Amino acid sequence: MASDKQTGRLTVVHGSMFAGKTEKMIAWLRHAEQEGKIVRAFKHSIDVRYDADHLITHTQDRFPAVRISTAEAILDQSAGVECVAIDEGHFFTPSLVQVVETLLQRGVSVMVAGISNDIWGRPFVPMPDLASIADRVEACLSPCRVCGEPAEFTQRMVPVTSRTMVGGVGEYEPRCGQHFTPLSEPPEEL
């Protein structure tokens, strides 16, 4: 298909919690702004940690963000935007992949950050599908809280109350494969 528009580029940053994924995203957004680009950050509406209207790192660095409940809402709120950042991509349904593909076709550069594996040890959908279409994939791994080795998993430290559990320090710990204990199969309904 011939087009006079340049295709955007996709960067996927994934890994364990507390590894600096949101820090990388904020740095990417600020750099794009310094280049004079129009940027917009999005976060899922269930993520109200620290501040509902900003991307916020665990060290409290912040960047304004639009709260949305569906991936499709990104398309409605990104007209004229040149760079789109989507934090906590694992909170979205697989429809995020089609939304990202649409943005790329529009010439928008996109960065999606998210956790690689869920608390059951499974790949966190839709992150693997996004990584498969990305121009660049970067892993951010914190040190395992038990041994210090790179942690590709996130251990749930408190009881499970729902399928999507937003949390932070005290509720999750980064763990390497040797020290990660997957939870038993998730209940059908919580």
Side-chain angles (χ1 to χ4, degrees), residues 31-52:
H31 183 263
E33 280 185 326
Q34 289 172 351
E35 290 182 337
K37 294 181 179 168
I38 301 167
V39 305
R40 181 150 305 142
F42 294 93
K43 65 187 284 181
H44 199 286
S45 59
I46 65 171
D47 186 3
V48 294
R49 294 171 296 171
Y50 309 128
D51 182 335

Side-chain angles (χ1 to χ4, degrees), residues 4 10 37 42 46 51 58-59 70 92 95 120 128 143 153 158 174:
D4 57 353
L10 172 60
K37 294 181 179 168
F42 294 93
I46 65 171
D51 182 335
H58 294 291
T59 60
T70 67
F92 294 94
S95 66
W120 294 279
F153 295 98
V158 296

Side-chain angles (χ1 to χ4, degrees), residues 70-188:
T70 67
E72 293 78 10
I74 295 169
L75 295 175
D76 296 334
Q77 298 190 45
S78 59
V81 174
E82 297 169 281
C83 297
V84 165
I86 305 164
D87 201 23
E88 308 293 0
H90 55 276
F91 287 153
F92 294 94
T93 65
S95 66
L96 180 59
V97 177
Q98 180 59 49
V99 167
V100 168
E101 288 175 334
T102 300
L103 290 169
L104 296 173
Q105 290 167 1
R106 291 179 181 175
V108 176
S109 290
V110 180
M111 179 181 276
V112 179
I115 296 175
S116 301
N117 299 294
D118 67 16
I119 59 176
W120 294 279
R122 304 171 304 190
F124 222 141
V125 174
M127 298 308 292
D129 291 333
L130 289 165
S132 75
I133 63 168
D135 298 287
R136 180 176 175 192
V137 177
E138 185 174 341
C140 290
L141 304 176
S142 334
C144 173
R145 289 278 166 86
V146 177
C147 69
E149 290 296 314
E152 63 270 13
F153 295 98
T154 303
Q155 186 74 53
R156 179 77 175 171
M157 305 305 291
V158 296
V160 174
T161 57
S162 71
R163 284 190 178 274
T164 306
M165 298 163 285
V166 181
V169 176
E171 297 163 311
Y172 293 96
E173 280 187 359
R175 297 282 180 91
C176 68
Q178 180 180 351
H179 293 107
F180 173 71
T181 304
L183 299 184
S184 59
E185 283 302 307
E188 291 301 316

